[in-house]
Structures are given as C-alpha cells and as structure tokens.
Amino acid sequence: MSEEGRALVTDREREIISGDADVSDNYEYKVKSIVRNRIRKRFGDDVEFLEEYFPEAYEMVVDEVCDERPD
C-alpha cells in the first residue's frame, strides 16, 4: 500500500470486491455494504468540507469524479 492510503476503499476491500480474496459471499456482501455506507454517509460531507476549507482539493475531487469516462 502506498503512503497515502486509499480514498474510498482499502487494499483488502479491493481484493474482496474484485473476487481476488477467498471469502464467503456473506462477507463480500458485508464489505460492499460498508463501502456503500461510507460513500453515502461520509463522502458528501467530506466534499462539502473540502469545498469550504480546502478549495484546491475540492477542485481535484470534482475533476476526478466529474471527468467524462469513455464508453
């Protein structure tokens, strides 16, 4: 793992969600639920915080999230 860590999911969560980890379906569902809740409950608050107190980082988030993705 890099020094910076992860923004939304941990390395372990990535392994589980991608199917690279040998875990039960129930545990995979739990991990996905945790990530969904993290996004629902914390992401918006963090973005609003950055917009007010760290506009440069807010713009970086907007650029990354709102960037058009190729089909």
Side-chain angles (χ1 to χ4, degrees):
M1 181 169 70
S2 69
E3 285 184 22
E4 295 86 22
R6 294 281 181 197
L8 294 177
V9 293
T10 66
D11 287 338
R12 181 66 177 154
E13 290 165 341
R14 283 176 173 253
E15 290 175 3
I16 293 166
I17 292 169
S18 69
D20 290 338
D22 186 21
V23 298
S24 70
D25 290 344
N26 286 341
Y27 191 73
E28 181 180 343
Y29 179 83
K30 178 181 176 181
V31 168
K32 288 178 178 180
S33 179
I34 289 168
V35 171
R36 281 192 297 269
N37 286 332
R38 187 181 302 143
I39 292 167
R40 281 188 200 119
K41 295 176 182 179
R42 301 297 310 226
F43 187 72
D45 290 341
D46 286 350
V47 171
E48 288 176 4
F49 174 84
L50 292 174
E51 182 178 24
E52 183 172 347
Y53 295 104
F54 194 6
E56 177 186 354
Y58 169 78
E59 289 299 323
M60 292 170 70
V61 170
V62 170
D63 288 346
E64 285 295 319
V65 173
C66 298
D67 187 28
E68 291 184 31
R69 303 270 182 213
D71 291 332

